[in-house]
Amino acid sequence: MNVWARRGRVWRRRVARARSEIRRRWHRFELVWRRSMQLRVVVSTLALSSAVVFVLGMVLQTQITNRLLETKQTAAVAQVESSLPVLERELTAVDPNADGVPEQLAAALNRLTTSVSGQSTVDSVAGAFDPVLVDGHAAAQRRAQPSAGPIEDVPEGLRRFVERGQLARQITTVERDGTRVTMLAVGTPVGSSTRPLQAYLLFPLTAEQRTLSVVQSTLLVGGAVLLVLLGAITNLVTRQIVRPVRHAAQTAERLADGDLDERMRVIGEDDVARLAESFNEMADSLKQQIQQLEEFGQLQRRFTSDVSHELRTPLTTVRMAADVLHASREEFPPGLSRSTELLVDELDRFEALLGDLLEISRLDAGVAELSAEQLDFAEIVQRGVDSVRAIADTSGVELRLDGADEPVPVVADARRIERVVRNLVSNAVDHAEGAPVDIRIAASETAVAVLVRDYGVGLRQGEAELVFTRFWRADPSRNRRTGGTGLGLSISSEDARLHGGWLDAWGERGEGSCFRLTLPRTPEKTLDDSPLAMPAPQSIAAPDALLATPEPEYGEAELEPEGRDQGPARLSEETTWDGELSEGR
């Protein structure tokens, strides 16, 4: 029993390996089939050509077979007609009712074969034959009726036709020396002294079968050679068409990689040459436009940097004068005192804008430095949230932080991470419409993430890709509570990229928005996914439905729909944020 069990396991493993190998080879063929237009054209041409060759071969074989049989039948009927007078002359004195009829029939057949042997022309056309004579009207059983020759080779159906006085023919197969031989049997009634007898001539079709075998072999070999030639010709012709297309694809890939001097070779004046000329003209135009855009971008970055630096000195002077006025505002009339306060507020905003412009210019120039160090990610997020808490309290927005109880070690730039968190939270407060804002921290073995979720006005379709554009605002008519410059999210996205992570956004109109910052544990590591998933469309949880259960260490939460909520308190273990990762949008 154990032996059979072991054999069964061995066979199952072999079958599993065979299936795996077949699947692997099939997937490889599918990959090659999808990627190679030349292979598809060659295989399709061979398949259609095979069908055409098969149909043509069948038609030719049928026509040749019919012609051979018609020729054989015509010659056989002519042989019967020429033999009939000889048989009638020999059978004139034969009485079927007398004794010794079989011997008389045999003598008549001998005379027939002797007389026909001299007719070389007929014999050469109809071929050799075996004659048969029989008295089918004798009052005896079939096997006992007087006959001469191999009467057992004559089909019964043919005998019935001939016995009714008709000339008939039939193709039959008989046994000769242990082999089956196909024959053409031709029967005719022949007169005797009292009643008609029946004569049959059996013509072997061996020569015709050999001819058909030669024809079939010729058709098979010719068809195979034709298919090989068609495949080679199709491959050659297709290669002449596909090669320029492949060259164009390779050239386009090198252009996309930044090699703007790459061009296609122009050979001849045909359609492919015109394609290469058009492609090269397009590449020249793209190179010129890209160079113009690069020059314009450099001028723009230089202008932004120069203006930002040139404004520092007069802004410092204005700041000093404004501080003096602000310190003495209690001595001014009420209107002038209020103007002094507004002046200081706008100067604060102007300084923030100028700082953001300088940071953007450094990021554009590629000179931004990352001061990475070992730190507690949860502590940095806590500091960023606390820096915005006063503004949130003024706006009546509750900030609820989850996941900051446990330390989350990470190698990052504390200043940049805190700035990203501050920008995200202040942006959420600005659009929360008084609803709570949830901030959640999570970590995996390779990444850390913070997710900021508000339940305010949300984003329209397509705006999630625009929120990181410089100076873009979803609703320009809205008043900012935090005095933003319009560059915060753009700088935050660049800070995330500088760490090797990403910052992405999600939102639905009337359901709020969600921003997620994902960073690797160390800058040299590559991110594959995020510990936190973005919420799915129409998958928002009720505010109080997520308070009871504590969060798992590396779990993901899912928000269940329940109308428009006023802000969930905490994200529980049983909820899932179903979304996709999007690198650096």
Side-chain angles (χ1 to χ4, degrees):
M1 186 64 181
N2 293 333
V3 174
W4 287 106
R6 284 196 299 269
R7 289 182 178 178
R9 288 194 296 269
V10 170
W11 277 107
R12 284 194 294 272
R13 285 196 294 268
R14 290 180 179 177
V15 171
R17 283 196 298 267
R19 289 179 177 176
S20 177
E21 182 66 18
I22 292 174
R23 284 195 298 268
R24 186 180 63 84
R25 292 181 180 273
W26 177 254
H27 292 330
R28 182 183 299 176
F29 173 76
E30 283 184 335
L31 182 62
V32 176
W33 177 266
R34 290 195 302 267
R35 292 184 175 180
S36 178
M37 182 177 68
Q38 183 177 1
L39 176 63
R40 293 198 301 271
V41 172
V42 171
V43 173
S44 301
T45 303
L46 287 178
L48 294 176
S49 301
S50 301
V52 173
V53 169
F54 176 77
V55 173
L56 182 61
M58 294 298 296
V59 171
L60 289 176
Q61 182 177 344
T62 303
Q63 291 294 325
I64 293 173
T65 303
N66 292 336
R67 293 297 298 174
L68 287 174
L69 289 178
E70 288 177 3
T71 303
K72 187 70 173 180
Q73 289 174 358
T74 302
V77 171
Q79 180 66 55
V80 170
E81 291 176 350
S82 64
S83 302
L84 187 60
V86 177
L87 288 175
E88 288 180 344
R89 187 169 55 251
E90 295 295 329
L91 296 176
T92 301
V94 175
D95 184 7
N97 299 319
D99 296 333
V101 174
E103 290 78 6
Q104 295 177 2
L105 295 180
L109 290 183
N110 290 332
R111 184 65 60 87
L112 173 64
T113 54
T114 301
S115 62
V116 172
S117 62
Q119 301 176 4
S120 58
T121 304
V122 176
D123 182 69
S124 62
V125 175
F129 60 87
D130 294 331
V132 177
L133 278 174
V134 64
D135 182 9
H137 299 291
Q141 295 182 358
R142 279 293 189 182
R143 295 183 179 274
Q145 290 176 342
S147 65
I151 186 60
E152 67 275 1
D153 293 341
V154 179
E156 184 65 29
L158 179 63
R159 292 185 61 180
R160 286 195 295 269
F161 271 98
V162 176
E163 288 170 1
R164 289 198 293 267
Q166 301 177 6
L167 174 66
R169 58 183 179 268
Q170 181 178 349
I171 294 177
T172 182
T173 302
V174 299
E175 290 285 343
R176 291 292 173 87
D177 299 330
T179 59
R180 298 180 67 82
V181 179
T182 303
M183 287 190 170
L184 173 63
V186 180
T188 182
V190 59
S192 66
S193 61
T194 57
R195 61 174 179 268
L197 303 180
Q198 295 81 39
Y200 302 95
L201 302 185
L202 303 177
F203 297 89
L205 298 178
T206 306
E208 286 73 17
Q209 287 180 326
R210 284 197 297 266
T211 303
L212 285 178
S213 298
V214 173
V215 170
Q216 290 175 350
S217 301
T218 304
L219 290 177
L220 288 176
V221 174
V225 172
L226 180 61
L227 288 178
V228 172
L229 292 177
L230 284 175
I233 294 172
T234 304
N235 182 65
L236 180 61
V237 174
T238 307
R239 188 175 182 182
Q240 293 178 351
I241 302 300
V242 172
R243 183 185 297 174
V245 176
R246 289 176 178 172
H247 186 213
Q250 295 172 358
T251 304
E253 290 176 357
R254 286 192 285 269
L255 285 172
D257 292 336
D259 188 2
L260 300 180
D261 295 326
E262 186 69 23
R263 296 294 183 271
M264 290 184 63
R265 291 181 298 175
V266 180
I267 302 176
E269 299 179 356
D270 54 7
D271 296 335
V272 177
R274 289 198 295 272
L275 170 64
E277 291 176 355
S278 302
F279 187 91
N280 292 339
E281 292 175 359
M282 179 191 67
D284 292 335
S285 177
L286 287 176
K287 179 180 179 181
Q288 182 180 2
Q289 294 181 17
I290 290 174
Q291 289 177 346
Q292 292 177 354
L293 289 175
E294 289 179 348
E295 293 175 358
F296 177 75
Q298 291 176 359
L299 291 175
Q300 185 182 28
R301 289 192 294 269
R302 188 179 301 114
F303 174 78
T304 303
S305 178
D306 293 344
V307 170
S308 301
H309 282 89
E310 292 298 329
L311 289 176
R312 297 293 283 181
T313 300
L315 180 61
T316 303
T317 304
V318 174
R319 162 62 70 180
M320 293 174 60
D323 289 341
V324 172
L325 293 175
H326 188 268
S328 305
R329 69 183 183 280
E330 296 180 356
E331 301 176 3
F332 300 153
L336 185 57
S337 176
R338 177 57 180 164
S339 299
T340 303
E341 294 176 355
L342 293 176
L343 175 62
V344 172
D345 292 341
E346 291 303 317
L347 281 175
D348 291 339
R349 186 171 182 273
F350 188 62
E351 281 185 335
L353 176 61
L354 190 59
D356 289 345
L357 287 175
L358 288 173
E359 183 67 23
I360 285 289
S361 64
R362 285 192 291 270
L363 291 171
D364 290 340
V367 297
E369 296 182 356
L370 188 68
S371 301
E373 58 181 343
Q374 186 75 26
L375 50 86
D376 183 4
F377 184 72
E379 180 182 353
I380 299 302
V381 173
Q382 181 72 61
R383 289 207 316 243
V385 173
D386 292 340
S387 65
V388 190
R389 194 172 295 278
I391 300 175
D393 293 340
T394 304
S395 303
V397 175
E398 180 185 1
L399 301 181
R400 299 186 290 202
L401 179 61
D402 187 25
D405 300 333
E406 297 293 332
V408 181
V410 67
V411 177
D413 190 331
R415 179 181 65 87
R416 295 182 183 276
I417 299 303
E418 184 177 350
R419 179 170 61 190
V420 173
V421 175
R422 184 170 59 250
N423 285 333
L424 295 180
V425 176
S426 62
N427 181 75
V429 169
D430 202 39
H431 297 83
E433 299 289 328
V437 173
D438 284 321
I439 304 99
R440 186 184 180 203
I441 302 172
S444 65
E445 296 180 357
T446 59
V448 296
V450 58
L451 189 143
V452 180
R453 176 79 165 90
D454 71 78
Y455 301 85
V457 293
L459 297 173
R460 298 185 183 91
Q461 185 177 3
E463 290 184 346
E465 289 78 19
L466 301 175
V467 293
F468 303 111
T469 305
R470 299 173 186 180
F471 300 108
W472 183 85
R473 296 182 66 181
D475 187 0
S477 63
R478 288 178 56 85
N479 293 324
R480 295 182 181 269
R481 296 186 177 90
T482 58
T485 63
L487 296 173
L489 291 179
S490 178
I491 294 175
S492 299
S493 179
E494 295 296 333
D495 286 338
R497 288 196 186 99
L498 200 60
H499 283 82
W502 63 69
L503 179 63
D504 46 358
W506 168 91
E508 280 191 4
R509 199 64 179 172
E511 299 293 349
S513 58
C514 181
F515 289 82
R516 177 184 59 186
L517 171 66
T518 306
L519 302 175
R521 289 275 191 173
T522 55
E524 64 272 8
K525 290 186 177 180
T526 302
L527 286 180
D528 295 327
D529 56 3
S530 177
L532 292 172
M534 298 291 277
Q538 302 298 332
S539 182
I540 313 300
D544 300 328
L546 305 172
L547 283 169
T549 308
E551 166 200 314
E553 183 176 357
Y554 299 113
E556 292 185 354
E558 174 175 338
L559 300 177
E560 300 295 337
E562 190 177 341
R564 177 176 178 185
D565 46 87
Q566 300 300 319
R570 287 188 182 270
L571 303 177
S572 71
E573 180 183 11
E574 299 177 353
T575 59
T576 300
W577 298 55
D578 186 13
E580 294 183 354
L581 304 179
S582 139
E583 183 174 354
R585 286 184 293 190

